[in-house]
Amino acid sequence: MNRPPPRPASPSPTFSPLYRQIKDLILASLEAAEWGPGDAIPSESELAQRFGVSQGTVRKAIDEMAADNLLVRRQGKGTFVATHNDPRSFFRFLRLAANDGDLPPSRSVPLECWRARAGADVARTLGLEPGASIIILRRVLYFGDKPVVFDELYLPAELFPDFSMDVLNANDESLYSLFEGRYGVRMIRADERLRAVSADRVSAAALSVAEGSPLLLVERVAFTYGDKPVEWRRGFYSTENHHYHNELG
């Protein structure tokens, strides 16, 4: 007796735990700038009343957002939106360590900043139309008197309307603090790829090394709320006295 072929299983509906739904609602408020970097958010009880859920559900959502470095709990003071002005955030996006364990203060020196049209690679990486206006920035990061990182950044021009060398030269904060404070663009996560390369003429001159010297290339795409890519960075690291450090676990 011939039997009909089995019917393909219908896809299972996706299920999101309630605390994840509350996390998404809080994220939507952050993306809409209801609370800005450094601002206190409402208490857990206030958020529970607002969303019609238990305080424990809100607490679990906030715990996960704190683990993601989106919020910061302060004992006895409440919960605040994370900000790049917090010194602890500096090495969240710069996994650099000195071989001798002593990393001196950093100094960012801008070299060039100009506007251009997005080529295919930049447009694809940043989710732009080919030919869209972008900003290209080159800078060197010094630790003490040693040039250690040569960065080339690509940014969507529409998000950084007056970005220029004048703005950079007048700035004494980190780049991400500048992006956050002046343009309202907060980097919340990044994807990085690492590979070994040889110094070309430009990177060798910027880092004061010989052409052909071994460098570590760290390519980063940084995202803001809504998982929107807003920066493509190519960082060339001199590893003579420094190394890339990432603690897992």
Side-chain angles (χ1 to χ4, degrees), residues 75-235:
Q75 188 69 29
K77 294 183 178 180
T79 303
F80 296 78
V81 181
T83 172
H84 291 296
N85 287 327
D86 185 338
R88 292 171 295 181
S89 74
F90 183 73
F91 287 101
R92 182 180 164 219
F93 289 97
L94 182 67
R95 302 290 185 173
L96 187 70
N99 292 345
D100 61 8
D102 182 21
L103 197 63
S106 65
R107 177 170 56 98
S108 176
V109 178
L111 302 178
E112 300 176 277
C113 182
W114 73 96
R115 292 177 182 263
R117 296 293 176 183
D121 287 347
V122 177
R124 181 177 60 254
T125 302
L126 295 179
L128 303 172
E129 291 293 329
S133 180
I134 60 169
I135 296 167
I136 302 175
L137 164 65
R138 286 176 174 169
R139 64 110 183 230
V140 175
L141 198 61
Y142 284 77
F143 285 87
D145 60 352
K146 300 291 186 182
V148 178
V149 181
F150 169 57
D151 278 328
E152 186 171 78
L153 288 77
Y154 302 86
L155 307 166
E158 66 174 357
L159 297 180
F160 306 91
D162 67 341
F163 195 79
S164 65
M165 285 293 288
D166 289 340
V167 170
L168 287 165
N169 288 328
N171 175 61
D172 59 0
E173 303 173 307
S174 71
L175 271 179
Y176 281 3
S177 292
L178 174 66
F179 294 164
E180 175 184 273
R182 189 180 183 98
Y183 303 103
V185 177
R186 173 168 167 74
M187 310 300 187
I188 63 171
R189 76 170 187 88
D191 288 340
E192 288 189 338
R193 295 183 179 184
L194 286 70
R195 58 190 173 95
V197 297
S198 298
D200 61 11
R201 179 181 57 82
V202 175
S203 57
L207 294 172
S208 298
V209 298
E211 285 190 50
S213 297
L215 300 176
L216 181 66
L217 172 60
V218 180
E219 293 189 88
R220 174 194 303 170
V221 181
F223 299 80
T224 189
Y225 298 116
D227 223 26
K228 179 179 180 180
V230 289
E231 178 204 57
W232 181 26
R233 178 183 303 215
R234 303 174 74 243

Side-chain angles (χ1 to χ4, degrees), residues 53 90 178 187 229 235 239 242 248:
V53 297
F90 183 73
L178 174 66
M187 310 300 187
T239 57
H242 299 81
L248 304 176

